[in-house]
């Protein structure tokens, strides 16, 4: 019988560990030598033998033998750094070779390569390396000398150690409502701080190994081409590995960038499900791609593999990731759940740790869309039945004149005989009742089904909004909420935002944060501007149980910022200019007007007389809907035309030229517009010079002339010109400059943004969120602030603010409260402080209809803003100082609020800080540093008080007597008297001089009395002082009493403050 030599390796734990046990099973047909050798590769060397073991077997022939071997590796491979092991190494791979050779003992010295090649049987296995930061410390079993031990104790914590860092990145933790727009979440990966992980990452640029897991609730497949799910943008603004999209049929489109420079794409054979939560898992391992679809129960629905022989290029730090939409592609219409990215690991579905956290909200989203399917079906079918009945009746009307009159002027058609079952009618009885009241013969109800349902939603909302805005409207909130839910289900998402605010603030109902979040997400997904801003604000501040997430906040704010730019070019819709009108400003409130108001009528009178300033202001008010005037572009254009022709005012000429160029509310007339633009430019108007450049760029494609005019306008300080020059450099069409120059373009955009240019600000915010531009280091917070600034100029938000202000001026308290709450929850500061003011003015209304503490909540929101007014800081300072209702006192926060008001230039802030010291409290040193108060002035309270009172006086109106000037005068008087009373010599001299003065005064009056009555001697009255000494004692006693009283008052105020820190 012939025996074949063999050798097998069996390792229980395939890791590079010291003393690892290996089971070697072998058979020798002749006397043999069994060899084991471990070869390691590191960053600097490859193929280094780190372990060898050999043994002879001459007797046990033709018998299978098993031998246990304990592997021994160098300490620097298996232990962490310590006092003795100073430089442990990063091992990339370890291969354990085993072979049998039929040679004599003398062959022990033969090289491994030759011996392994000549082996009669051989085998090998890979061992998994352990990163240094995961290795154990070695027990050296030595006793260090006292000095060495002491040095080790001193340096133990200073030994450089790799930070504990994971390759798993949680890209998204919270639900994100993606509306399918060109905006999304931008994430940028940095290099690993851990040098071992970073080395591994760099070695895998041509052999990617990563896994991504994305939870999705998909509403629709992509409308056209591709929609973004998750993709990487490189510095050249090209897609790189990975790029995952959704196509029109619902299949997943995966694109990779190859090492040779071109791209490769594949498409899954399965489509993603609609209106159910699922997890999409993708893993890349070299040229192999695994795609899986997993349900809520974590059971796999679909799986597909792709294998390529191409080398993919993958560098996740050379660019940025986008979740959803961007300037390059629209996003998907969906809700994103948690998204987890493993940068260096390929994981199976069961190994991925990416749970769906907020299960209550997840279930609420599912229930919402299930219910809405019923609502939409009922609305569509009801309207269809009514319209079919009307068509049948209309055929008879053509033959009967009287029936036609009845149809035109009589009661409108409605459906009394329902085709729906009793259970469904009872479930949606409110909706059926409302449908019966609607007129479906109106021309604005289109034949298209989706538009029909949306129109039903709009009518329901308008009916409810009208009721809530009535004199006692908020008392009907309970009956309004079901109707708003129906309107939201019909796709009218103004109702969704109403519901979000109602449930979050407890406006007429109990607070329900889960429903508030649900309708905020639904409204944002449906592109309701105020709902999107609400989510952006909550994630920016991290309030109301919304996690602080600047990238998520930017995704929402940038959406509305882009819309703001587009909305301003659309004269239709419920828009108004966003004005900062504070309810505490009486002068500004008096300037608000309407078409029949005194201010408007006076402006109209002056404009009719040919006053250019009046014509310009009147046209602006009508065109943008400013100062309380309803938007009326047609009337505005008439005033622009009248002013341009009659007054020769360059601004009016320019405005009318722009209107003619764009055809806004008037027929386009390029020839006349150009003549007017040249006329205004000749008068030196910077925006007109820019307008000429715009004309040559858009109409003539003459970039040289365009650049020439824009350079002139830019020197005159026109931000539009700066932006336009940036566009020329960005598009690579600047005359005489070859190719694109993004760096120069970005500088021009920044200059435009500094001048308030909307598109320039948007560009800069994008640079800050991506961090890909040289002069714009990544700063998500700055990106959010800039995008928020533009979003808060949106005309639809301005319309809500204007409705709130008009209601306040008309003393319609319910309507004012409702609309100010709607505006305040979007994060706009002026509405927050105005709402707090209303709640102070009408506390009964706030207590009755708001479940939240209105004053505390909205002043708190206000001071958290970048542009918070000083009076809000003062309010919050008083609340913290004295305590507010159920809020506890906090002296340090109070002082911080007063200090912030002081830094805003408010004299009241300095005054309150001084009174805090007067009442026996101290101000923390870091606040004094913030106020830039010199260290020398902090040695005593008197010098600190003097500085604070002086700054108070310096920041107040110095031309009139103010509380600050009185406080400073009183302080100097106290210092003067303190100095007098502290000096014995001055005290004695003062007493003496006062005695002499009193004696002289008595003698003078006696002589004067004697001259007036020559024949009569005057007797001194018994109640007058009989000597100057007594008068002096009384005066001294009064001074001492005043000083004592002042000291006692200070002590009492310090222990029990009774007066608010405000000036009269």
């Amino acid at each position: 019988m012939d025996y074949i030599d063999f050798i097998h390796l069996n390792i229980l734990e395939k890791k590079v560990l010291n003393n690892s046990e290996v089971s070697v099973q072998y058979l020798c047909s002749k006397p043999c030598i069994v060899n084991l050798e471990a070869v390691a590769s590191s960053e600097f060397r490859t193929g280094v033998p780190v372990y060898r073991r050999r043994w002879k077997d001459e007797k046990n022939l033709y018998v299978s033998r098993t031998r246990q071997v304990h592997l021994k590796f160098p300490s620097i491979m298996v232990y962490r750094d310590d006092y003795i092991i100073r430089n442990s190494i990063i091992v990339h791979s370890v291969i354990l070779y085993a072979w049998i050779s039929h040679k004599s003992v003398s062959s022990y010295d033969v090289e491994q390569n030759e011996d392994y090649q000549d082996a009669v049987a051989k085998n090998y296995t890979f061992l998994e390396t352990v990163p240094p930061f995961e290795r154990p410390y070695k027990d050296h079993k030595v006793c260090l000398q006292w000095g060495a031990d002491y040095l080790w104790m001193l340096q133990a914590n200073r030994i450089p150690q790799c930070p504990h860092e994971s390759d798993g990145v949680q890209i998204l933790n919270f639900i994100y409502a993606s509306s399918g727009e060109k905006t999304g979440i931008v994430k940028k990966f940095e290099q690993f701080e851990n040098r071992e992980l970073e080395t591994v990452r760099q070695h895998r640029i041509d052999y990617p190994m990563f896994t991504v897991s994305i939870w999705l609730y998909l509403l629709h497949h992509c409308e056209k081409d591709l929609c973004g799910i998750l993709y990487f943008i490189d510095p050249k603004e090209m897609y790189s590995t990975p790029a995952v999209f959704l196509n029109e049929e619902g299949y997943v489109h995966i694109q990779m960038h190859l090492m040779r420079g071109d791209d490769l794409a594949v498409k899954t054979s399965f489509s993603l499900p609609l209106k159910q939560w699922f997890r999409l898992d993708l893993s890349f391992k070299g040229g192999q791609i695994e795609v899986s679809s997993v349900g809520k129960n974590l059971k796999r629905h679909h799986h597909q593999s792709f294998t390529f022989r191409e080398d993919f290029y993958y560098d996740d730090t050379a660019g940025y990731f986008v979740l959803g939409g961007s300037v390059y592609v629209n996003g998907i219409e969906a809700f994103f759940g948690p998204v987890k990215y493993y940068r260096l690991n390929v994981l199976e579905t069961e190994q991925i740790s990416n749970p769906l956290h907020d299960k209550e909200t997840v279930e609420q989203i599912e229930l919402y869309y299930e219910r809405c399917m019923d609502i939409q079906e009922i609305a569509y079918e009801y309207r269809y039945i009514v319209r079919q009945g009307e068509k049948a009746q209309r055929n008879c009307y053509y033959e009967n004149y009287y029936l036609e009159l009845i149809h035109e002027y009589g009661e409108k058609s409605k459906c009394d005989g329902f085709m729906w079952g009793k259970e469904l009618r009872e479930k949606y009885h409110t909706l059926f009742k409302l449908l019966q009241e609607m007129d479906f013969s109106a021309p604005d109800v289109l034949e298209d089904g989706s538009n029909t349902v949306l129109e039903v939603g709009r009518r329901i909302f308008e009916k409810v909004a009208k009721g809530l805005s009535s004199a006692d409207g908020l008392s009907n909130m309970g009956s309004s909420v079901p109707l708003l839910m129906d309107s939201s289900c019909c796709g009218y998402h103004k109702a969704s935002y109403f519901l979000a605010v109602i449930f979050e603030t407890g406006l007429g109902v109990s607070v329900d944060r889960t429903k508030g979040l649900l309708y905020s997400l639904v409204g944002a997904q449906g592109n309701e501007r105020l709902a999107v801003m609400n989510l952006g604000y909550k994630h920016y501040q991290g309030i109301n149980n919304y996690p602080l997430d600047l990238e998520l906040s930017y995704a929402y704010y940038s959406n509305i910022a882009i819309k703001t730019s587009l909305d301003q070019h659309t004269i239709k819709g419920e828009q108004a200019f966003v004005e900062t009108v504070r309810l505490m400003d009486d002068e500004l409130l008096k300037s608000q007007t309407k078409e029949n108001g005194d201010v408007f009528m006076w402006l109209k009178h002056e404009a009719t007389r040919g006053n250019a300033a009046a014509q310009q202001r009147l046209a602006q008010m009508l065109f943008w809907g400013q100062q309380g005037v309803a938007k009326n572009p047609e009337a505005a254009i008439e005033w622009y035309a009248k002013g341009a022709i009659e007054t020769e005012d360059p601004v009016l000429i320019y405005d009318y030229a722009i209107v003619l160029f764009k055809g806004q509310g008037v027929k386009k007339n390029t020839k006349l517009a150009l003549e007017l633009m040249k006329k205004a430019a000749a008068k030196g108007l910077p925006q007109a010079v820019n307008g000429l450049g715009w004309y040559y760029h858009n109409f003539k494609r003459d970039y040289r002339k365009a650049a020439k005019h824009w350079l002139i306008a830019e020197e005159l300080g026109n931000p539009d010109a700066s932006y336009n020059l940036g566009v020329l450099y960005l598009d690579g069409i600047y005359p005489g400059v070859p190719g694109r120059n993004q760096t120069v373009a970005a500088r021009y955009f920044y200059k435009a943004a500094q001048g308030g240019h909307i598109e320039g600000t948007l560009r800069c915010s994008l640079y800050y969120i991506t961090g890909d531009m040289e002069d714009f280091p990544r700063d998500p917070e700055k990106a959010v602030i800039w995008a928020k600034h533009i979003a808060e100029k949106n005309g639809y938000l301005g319309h809500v603010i204007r409705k709130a202000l008009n209601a306040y001026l008309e003393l319609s308290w319910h309507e004012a409260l409702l609309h100010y709450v709607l505006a305040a929850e979007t994060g706009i500061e002026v509405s927050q402080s105005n709402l707090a003011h209303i709640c102070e003015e009408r506390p009964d209304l706030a207590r009755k209809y708001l479940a939240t503490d209105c004053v505390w909540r909205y002043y708190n929101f206000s001071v958290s803003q970048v542009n918070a007014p000083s009076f809000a800081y003062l309010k919050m300072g008083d609340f913290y100082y004295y305590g507010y209702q159920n809020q506890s006192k906090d002296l340090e926060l109070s002082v911080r609020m007063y200090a912030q008001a002081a830094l805003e230039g408010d004299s009241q802030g300095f005054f309150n800080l001084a009174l805090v010291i007067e009442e026996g409290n101290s101000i923390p040193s870091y606040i004094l540093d913030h106020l830039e108060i010199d260290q020398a002035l902090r040695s005593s309270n008197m010098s600190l008080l003097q500085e604070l009172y002086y700054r108070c006086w310096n920041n107040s109106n110095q031309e009139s007597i103010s509380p600050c000037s009185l406080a400073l005068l009183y302080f100097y008087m106290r210092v003067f008297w303190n100095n007098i009373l502290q000096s014995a010599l001055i005290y004695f001299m003062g007493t003496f001089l006062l005695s002499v003065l009193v004696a002289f005064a008595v003698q003078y009056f006696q002589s004067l009395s004697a001259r007036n009555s020559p024949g009569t001697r005057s007797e001194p009255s018994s109640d007058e002082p009989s000597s100057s000494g007594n008068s002096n004692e009384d005066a001294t006693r009064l001074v001492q009493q005043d000083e004592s009283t002042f000291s006692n008052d200070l002590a009492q105020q310090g222990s029990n403050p009774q007066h608010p820190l405000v000036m009269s």
Side-chain angles (χ1 to χ4, degrees), residues 66 116 151 257 404 445 479 531 536 539 589 611 755 799 824 831 883 895 978:
T66 301
Y116 187 74
L151 288 174
H257 188 61
E404 188 175 350
V445 181
S479 59
H539 285 296
L589 288 179
N611 186 318
H799 177 72
S831 295
V895 173
N978 284 340

Side-chain angles (χ1 to χ4, degrees), residues 1004-1021:
Y1004 174 76
F1005 283 113
Q1006 284 179 348
S1007 62
L1008 185 65
S1009 177
R1011 283 199 300 271
N1012 290 337
S1013 306
T1016 308
R1017 181 177 178 178
S1018 173
E1019 296 291 334
S1021 173

Side-chain angles (χ1 to χ4, degrees), residues 882-1012:
Y882 299 110
Y884 180 78
Q885 295 183 5
N886 60 340
Q887 305 294 335
S888 58
K889 298 180 181 180
D890 192 322
L891 178 62
E892 185 174 351
L893 277 176
S894 170
V895 173
R896 285 174 59 183
M897 292 292 130
Y898 293 147
Q900 193 60 45
L903 287 171
E904 296 292 324
D906 196 314
S907 59
Q908 180 77 62
F910 291 109
F911 188 86
N912 289 1
L913 288 172
L915 286 184
V916 167
I917 297 175
E918 297 270 25
E919 294 184 352
N921 300 302
S922 61
I923 298 177
S925 58
Y926 74 91
I927 293 179
L928 296 176
D929 292 337
H930 205 51
L931 291 169
E932 298 181 353
I933 293 179
D934 193 83
Q935 289 284 348
L937 299 175
R938 306 180 194 181
S939 57
S940 68
N941 282 349
M942 295 304 287
S943 58
L944 195 54
L945 281 171
Q946 181 178 353
E947 177 68 13
L948 291 172
Y949 280 132
Y950 175 76
R951 291 194 184 187
C952 175
W953 170 77
N954 198 41
N955 283 277
S956 60
N957 185 3
Q958 299 177 12
E959 296 180 358
S960 60
I961 297 176
S962 66
C964 289
S965 57
L966 293 175
L968 187 62
L969 177 62
Y970 181 54
F971 173 80
Y972 284 134
M973 290 176 62
R974 285 157 46 203
V975 172
F976 174 74
W977 278 109
N978 284 340
N979 291 337
I980 290 177
L981 295 176
Q982 287 172 5
S983 173
L985 178 61
I986 294 178
Y987 173 74
F988 174 77
M989 291 298 296
T991 304
F992 175 75
L993 290 174
L994 187 61
S995 301
V996 171
L997 183 63
V998 171
F1000 177 78
V1002 170
Q1003 186 178 3
Y1004 174 76
F1005 283 113
Q1006 284 179 348
S1007 62
L1008 185 65
S1009 177
R1011 283 199 300 271
N1012 290 337

Side-chain angles (χ1 to χ4, degrees), residues 389-404:
E390 287 179 348
K391 284 181 180 179
Q393 292 178 3
R394 198 176 296 118
N395 291 334
C396 302
Y397 298 157
Y398 296 132
E399 302 174 2
N400 192 316
Y401 174 72
Y402 296 102
L403 287 176
E404 188 175 350

Side-chain angles (χ1 to χ4, degrees), residues 618-655:
L618 200 63
Q620 288 176 348
M621 289 166 65
L622 289 166
F623 193 86
W624 297 107
Q626 295 177 353
Q627 214 167 317
V629 176
K631 200 171 181 181
N632 190 342
E634 291 77 13
I637 290 166
E638 290 180 8
W639 286 110
Y640 280 135
K642 181 178 176 64
I645 295 169
E646 293 181 359
T647 65
E648 297 289 315
D649 181 73
V651 176
L652 285 167
I653 294 172
Y654 166 77
D655 287 339

